[in-house]
Amino acid sequence: MDIHDLTVDPTQSPSDRLDRWITDQLGDLSRSQVQRLIEQGQVQINQQVCQSKKIHLAPGDRVTVRVPDPEPLPLDPEAIPLDVLYEDDQLILLNKPAGMVVHPAPGHSRGTLVHALLAHCQIQTPQGIRTTLSGIGGTQRPGIVHRLDKDTSGAIVVAKSDRAHQHLQAQIAAKTARREYLGLVYGNPSADSGTLDHPLGRHPVHREKQAVVPVEQGGRPALTHWQVQERLGNYALIHFRLETGRTHQIRVHCAAMGHPILGDPLYSRGRSLKMNLTGQALHAWKLSLRHPLTEALITVEAPPPLEFQRLLEKLAKKKGS
């Protein structure tokens, strides 16, 4: 069980409704999840259980939120083909297709990358078949060191041992693991390169989205470096390098600078594109990291999906016509 002890800003006025305030403070929970916790008696205000989501908090109120551990779902291995870029007994680097969810979540109980990994990483031992994946992520996220959005394709690393998992997580935290993306955006940036330094947090209204949110309002620092690779008429191919890994980071940053990713269902609504895409035109192209045991540098490049390449060719031909 996770326990969160929170305090309402003493200078905050007027106060906010309980369910909205908790949702803003705990970015990993939706408002409906918070409301269920309140109904279940898992929320206290000043050490008193509160079961009304509509109560308004006062400045200085102390709020305790208890989040029970989720009930584990039984996961069965699924023989889903994987595009392996590198593999040994410590880790595996893959080219994830757009449309595949990384780990099980509500609404995605089958067909995830985890299900495929459970089948791919099985070995026969004298005691029977076992799976060679790190257990640090728990039964629902074995081996998962970092995520890619469902509709983002490209390179992702998975740990096969706890030691590898901890080492890889430390590299990501220390920003020594290098993650590079390619994306097609609407419009042409006025500069050839730049850095987007905008803190991100949950959107105040649309809870499925992220937004630029000031740090003092709960936003978390997010840094994206970008460089134009090719200008394609009213579009541009951009190379991105991440220093942080916030949810939807590139997608939100691009929308914030007025050049959203092509085909992005959340952040480029109202834009038309006469070509079907499985997901947004964003691809995790390159991943560089140190091997957790040998410290050798491993760099893999994930070829963009065919539809991404076809879209690029279509825009290049349109530009030249």
Side-chain angles (χ1 to χ4, degrees):
M1 174 178 290
D2 291 329
I3 301 176
H4 303 273
D5 290 314
L6 310 169
T7 302
V8 180
D9 186 344
T11 64
Q12 180 177 326
S13 182
S15 61
D16 202 356
R17 210 173 84 164
L18 179 62
D19 58 340
R20 293 191 187 123
W21 186 83
I22 294 175
T23 304
D24 288 338
Q25 301 301 308
L26 304 178
D28 292 338
L29 297 178
S30 67
R31 192 191 292 189
S32 60
Q33 289 174 307
V34 170
Q35 290 173 346
R36 283 196 296 272
L37 291 174
I38 295 171
E39 292 169 358
Q40 294 166 2
Q42 300 289 355
V43 175
Q44 295 181 351
I45 301 176
N46 300 324
Q47 300 182 334
Q48 298 295 318
V49 173
C50 177
Q51 292 182 286
S52 172
K53 64 186 180 184
K54 296 182 180 180
I55 191 170
H56 282 257
L57 295 165
D61 276 347
R62 299 186 64 182
V63 179
T64 300
V65 183
R66 300 174 183 270
V67 184
D69 295 330
E71 290 292 328
L73 299 172
L75 301 184
D76 296 320
E78 296 182 40
I80 301 170
L82 293 174
D83 184 0
V84 178
L85 304 173
Y86 174 91
E87 183 176 12
D88 63 21
D89 62 348
Q90 293 297 313
L91 72 169
I92 178 171
L93 290 96
L94 308 160
N95 186 3
K96 184 189 83 68
M100 175 179 272
V101 175
V102 170
H103 56 74
H108 301 285
S109 60
R110 304 284 298 174
T112 72
L113 180 61
V114 163
H115 287 92
L117 286 166
L118 289 173
H120 179 86
C121 296
Q122 287 184 339
I123 62 171
Q124 181 70 50
T125 71
Q127 292 75 36
I129 295 176
R130 73 179 182 88
T131 300
T132 57
L133 286 171
S134 163
I136 290 178
T139 58
Q140 303 301 296
R141 304 183 185 187
I144 301 303
V145 178
H146 66 111
R147 293 176 58 254
L148 286 176
D149 294 338
K150 172 190 172 184
D151 292 328
T152 297
S153 58
I156 185 171
V157 62
V158 175
K160 288 188 174 183
S161 70
D162 288 354
R163 178 177 177 179
H165 198 131
Q166 292 169 337
H167 196 286
L168 293 166
Q169 282 188 326
Q171 290 184 57
I172 291 175
K175 303 175 185 176
T176 55
R178 188 181 179 102
R179 290 170 289 169
E180 302 175 57
Y181 292 69
L182 293 174
L184 283 160
V185 304
Y186 290 97
N188 255 298
S190 57
D192 290 332
S193 62
T195 295
L196 298 165
D197 185 2
H198 305 305
L200 301 181
R202 193 183 291 273
H203 195 287
V205 177
H206 305 290
R207 309 308 297 177
E208 77 280 10
K209 299 173 66 174
Q210 301 292 303
V212 176
V213 177
V215 171
E216 56 270 20
Q217 295 180 20
R220 302 174 68 190
L223 202 63
T224 304
H225 304 289
W226 62 272
Q227 184 173 22
V228 175
Q229 298 294 293
E230 187 175 3
R231 297 183 184 274
L232 301 160
N234 294 323
Y235 307 92
L237 175 66
I238 296 184
H239 169 255
F240 301 96
R241 181 169 61 84
L242 294 182
E243 286 204 23
T244 52
R246 308 303 178 204
T247 301
H248 300 176
Q249 179 172 320
I250 293 175
R251 299 163 63 188
V252 179
H253 275 173
C254 283
M257 74 171 179
H259 300 289
I261 299 289
L262 271 67
D264 191 324
L266 284 180
Y267 304 103
S268 64
R269 286 176 179 168
R271 306 268 189 160
S272 61
L273 180 67
K274 295 181 180 179
M275 186 168 185
N276 292 328
L277 288 172
T278 302
Q280 55 268 352
L282 181 63
H283 177 70
W285 165 61
K286 192 173 183 179
L287 179 59
S288 300
L289 49 84
R290 294 285 175 183
H291 192 278
L293 294 187
T294 69
E295 295 289 339
L297 179 64
I298 299 174
T299 298
V300 296
E301 293 184 6
L306 185 58
E307 62 181 23
F308 188 103
Q309 298 179 44
R310 286 175 174 169
L311 177 56
L312 190 59
E313 292 169 1
K314 177 181 179 181
L315 296 177
K317 287 179 180 179
K318 185 177 179 181
K319 174 191 174 185
S321 61

